[in-house]
Amino acid sequence: MATLLETDAVLKRGLAALAKADPVMARLADEGIVPQLRKRPPGFEGLAWIVVGQQVSTASATAIWGRLRAILEPATPEAFLRLSDESLRTTGLSAGKVRTLRAVATEIVEGRLPLHELHSHPADEAHSLLTRVKGIGPWTADVYLLFCLGYPDAFPSGDLAVQEAARLAYGLEQRPDAKALNVLAERWRPWRGVAAKVLWAYYRAAKAREGAPT
């Protein structure tokens, strides 16, 4: 398996490879667009945080997560399954996210999702194991593989911020969809996850220049 994205040294190696392979990535680096390593702990807590953050603002996700952690102690799948739907809804979780997290917790407890062993699987296999769980789509799986396990080639092509950053950075007429972005991303292998981090950083910088919330 490829070296995991666990240290700044590995991140720098990926950034150097991207700059060599792609003039646009080199230009972004020259402009000072350098992402942070930013890792979250693996396991149920890390995956639950990602599910909570789907399709809501960072501020909303942080608030919901804070309320959930206040009643989820310890942050284990077993403890989550003991919580009632009513108590979970008081945190601000949608019914859909409650169902997804219950499915994740159940799959872990019953041994069908070996979450603590995913790091030993090839990326595609780990991705497949995650997306078998009802409610876990490709975006969630890719973000977990990238931010919690450090797979350097995990690439959330369905992420709207990454798509918009690609449009801006590459001067595209319209925002690429996931399929088009995957084609563009072929030049970044085996560092597509690092490229995603660069594009997220570029998106935040562009929004800051516009005076919009990031």
Side-chain angles (χ1 to χ4, degrees):
M1 189 172 64
T3 301
L4 293 179
L5 195 58
E6 295 181 311
T7 66
D8 286 327
V10 175
L11 177 63
K12 288 178 181 178
R13 181 146 56 95
L15 292 170
L18 289 172
K20 185 176 180 180
D22 185 343
V24 174
M25 285 288 163
R27 174 174 59 80
L28 295 181
D30 288 342
E31 292 176 3
I33 304 299
V34 179
Q36 301 297 310
L37 187 60
R38 287 183 63 203
K39 279 201 69 186
R40 297 195 66 84
F44 178 72
E45 184 171 359
L47 184 53
W49 161 253
I50 293 167
V51 171
V52 168
Q54 290 173 358
Q55 298 178 321
V56 298
S57 69
T58 301
S60 294
T62 301
I64 294 168
W65 181 251
R67 291 191 291 268
L68 176 59
R69 284 297 281 114
I71 64 172
L72 180 62
E73 184 58 44
T76 64
E78 293 83 359
F80 185 87
L81 291 172
R82 289 194 292 267
L83 296 172
S84 68
D85 285 357
E86 181 180 358
S87 63
L88 289 169
R89 282 195 294 270
T90 65
T91 68
L93 279 173
S94 67
K97 290 182 180 180
V98 170
R99 286 193 296 271
T100 295
L101 289 173
R102 284 206 183 282
V104 169
T106 299
E107 292 293 298
I108 295 170
V109 169
E110 296 184 359
R112 291 185 293 273
L113 178 60
L115 204 57
H116 287 289
E117 299 174 8
L118 282 188
H119 64 278
S120 65
H121 292 261
D124 289 346
E125 187 177 318
H127 191 277
S128 178
L129 285 167
L130 286 166
T131 54
R132 281 185 210 166
V133 181
K134 189 172 183 180
I136 299 296
W139 180 89
T140 304
D142 284 320
V143 171
Y144 181 80
L145 292 177
L146 178 57
F147 284 99
C148 294
L149 296 186
Y151 281 81
D153 202 42
F155 187 64
S157 59
D159 188 272
L160 294 181
V162 173
Q163 293 173 358
E164 178 62 12
R167 183 189 71 80
L168 294 170
Y170 288 83
L172 305 177
E173 290 186 3
Q174 59 185 16
R175 189 174 68 203
D177 60 12
K179 183 177 180 180
L181 193 54
N182 277 326
V183 172
L184 177 66
E186 281 300 311
R187 71 189 69 181
W188 303 328
R189 287 184 182 271
W191 299 102
R192 291 180 303 166
V194 177
K197 287 176 174 285
V198 171
L199 291 172
W200 271 312
Y202 182 62
Y203 179 80
R204 288 192 294 270
K207 289 300 179 183
R209 287 194 297 268
E210 293 173 8
T214 57

